[in-house]
Amino acid sequence: MRYNEAAKLRYEWDTKTGQPVNILAIESSCDETAAAVVQNGRVILSSVIASQIATHQQFGGVVPEVASRVHVESITRVVEEALQEAKLTLADLHAVAVTYAPGLIGALFVGVTAAKSYAQALGIPLIGVHHLAGHMAAAHLSEGVDPPFLALVVSGGHTELLKVETGGVMTRLGQTRDDAAGEAFDKIARALALGYPGGPAIQKAAEAGNPQAIEFPRAKLPEGSFDFSFSGLKSSVMLYLDRRAKAGMPVDQADVAASFQMAVMEALIDKTRQALKATGMTTLVLAGGVAANTLLRRRVGELGGELGVRVVVPPLWLCTDNAAMIGAAAYPRYLQGRLSDLRLTAQANLRLEDW
Ligand code: KG4
Ligand code: ZN
């Protein structure tokens, strides 16, 4: 029997019997090889993350070719560990979910190929997941939040404000016009010789600094726009460091880190406040790697208090890349019967609205 028919039959059978649905999820869009088993989109039976941070640290950032190679080396082991941790065998799985976009193309390719192989070998449905939908689903995993809500998704590749309506229809209200917030953290951390990944390093350095010490400029975007821009801020920090170096003056790393971090967070909070007011949304979901930032977590909490809005912030380990969030995002698609097939291919770019 061909794969499509086998998966369809299996799907029809499984959805009729009403048993718990175990989804094996795979995530390999950047520098973590991750696999998880998620039951009914809510219960994390296992979550394994093999981080490549130590490998990329020696290069000062993610090297795409190296990332792909390490994914290839780790993927089978990570999936096996996820099954073991879940105390399940391959026969207990009902579907395979995988991040297929957006991200590093070679890295995505490894996860997609593995997921297709498992789905085909087992004759079970395959579900391609958009990475940002995964990040948003982390909130659902931690607190059970259903649309409608406003989502601020901040990662190494994206900075977006999304309106998610009942039924899951998404409208992008704003996005970065240049660098993503996480990308700006990574670049400034490199300039300050704080290493990779930059977000946690800047946050740590900022603890000892004064956020008012240096007045870095805030982007001036038109009133009514919910877009972000971080390249001006990044350039002004670089210029500041350059001027100090040329003048032979010392740089207070902690003050630079604290002032830069404050400027990024103020921009994120300002636009989120405006978007909440404009849409009248009463729930805010924070998602993505930068959502691990302590200052941002505190500021969104305060914003919720100020506007009387429910704020959902996933635990730290669900903010940065993991596969559990991919399994959670795949589940509604599974229920709706919106399945992928073996034509699924990795895509470096894909708008969330087009998923
Ligand atoms: O979501 P993620 O794990 O991968 C992408 O989808 O990009 O996000 C990684 C990004 C990196 O840019 C990293 O520096 C940033 O999230 N990040 C942070 C923090 N932890 C991670 N940025 C600011 N503060 C943090 N504590
Ligand atoms: Zn991510």
Side-chain angles (χ1 to χ4, degrees), residues 159-178:
T159 305
E160 308 200 347
L161 270 169
L162 297 149
K163 190 167 86 170
V164 186
E165 278 152 304
T166 316
V169 180
M170 291 176 232
T171 318
R172 187 148 31 122
L173 302 178
Q175 62 182 322
T176 182
R177 296 190 175 183
D178 35 64

Side-chain angles (χ1 to χ4, degrees), residues 27 29-32 131-132 135 154-158 181-186 196-203 261 265 287-294 316 319-322 325:
E27 154 66 44
S29 65
C30 189
D31 57 350
E32 332 272 359
H131 185 72
L132 293 192
H135 274 304
V154 261
S155 70
H158 293 86
E183 189 181 354
F185 267 86
D186 294 335
Y196 152 88
I202 297 242
Q203 173 174 316
Q261 176 175 255
M265 297 317 164
V290 183
N293 185 273
T294 309
L316 291 183
C319 288
T320 44
D321 288 349
N322 65 86
M325 66 185 196

Side-chain angles (χ1 to χ4, degrees), residues 31-32 50-61 66 70 196-197:
D31 57 350
E32 332 272 359
S51 171
Q52 302 181 1
I53 286 180
T55 307
H56 296 289
Q57 242 154 11
Q58 52 190 313
F59 306 108
V66 176
V70 181
Y196 152 88

